[in-house]
Amino acid sequence: MSSDWATPAVWRLGLTDAEGLERALWGLVAFSLVGDIVTTFVGLHIGLAESNPIARTAIEGWGVLGMIALKAGAVAIALACRPLVDRAYRPIIPAALAIPWTAAVLINLYMISLVA
């Protein structure tokens, strides 16, 4: 009798340790970072507004480079804090970036779908 359905998804993906999970989450960070930048600028191009006041200021002042600098700063802080966290808990660091940025991508896509 197979119990594959009961096996946690992270184990089925081969993410049986904190390092594997952290690696996967950093991949999600990269994907969501690019997705957030692209969907933000598509939304702005079709008339939507940036709701985050810090991002809005960066975009108004420096355009795409401002947004990239903002994201790069967040990643740099996360990487600087990484050595301060016990290995078992390091996946929390990329998760703290990936979760809100992935949510932003989904919200941006939804808003774009309402206008387009």
Side-chain angles (χ1 to χ4, degrees):
M1 178 172 192
S2 175
S3 62
D4 283 344
W5 64 271
T7 305
V10 293
W11 293 350
R12 288 194 304 266
L13 293 172
L15 306 175
T16 57
D17 60 356
E19 289 178 11
L21 178 58
E22 183 185 10
R23 196 170 25 259
L25 287 168
W26 279 115
L28 182 57
V29 166
F31 181 76
S32 62
L33 181 150
V34 171
D36 188 20
I37 292 172
V38 169
T39 58
T40 294
F41 281 94
V42 168
L44 292 173
H45 181 72
I46 62 172
L48 297 175
E50 174 59 55
S51 61
N52 179 331
I54 296 170
R56 184 174 49 244
T57 301
I59 292 167
E60 288 172 357
W62 299 283
V64 175
L65 290 178
M67 185 71 150
I68 291 170
L70 191 64
K71 299 290 184 183
V75 171
I77 290 168
L79 290 172
C81 292
R82 186 177 175 273
L84 304 174
V85 178
D86 187 74
R87 285 186 192 273
Y89 299 104
R90 285 187 183 165
I92 293 169
I93 294 170
L97 295 174
I99 292 169
W101 288 350
T102 300
V105 170
L106 296 173
I107 291 167
N108 289 349
L109 288 172
Y110 174 71
M111 296 304 293
I112 290 167
S113 75
L114 293 178
V115 175

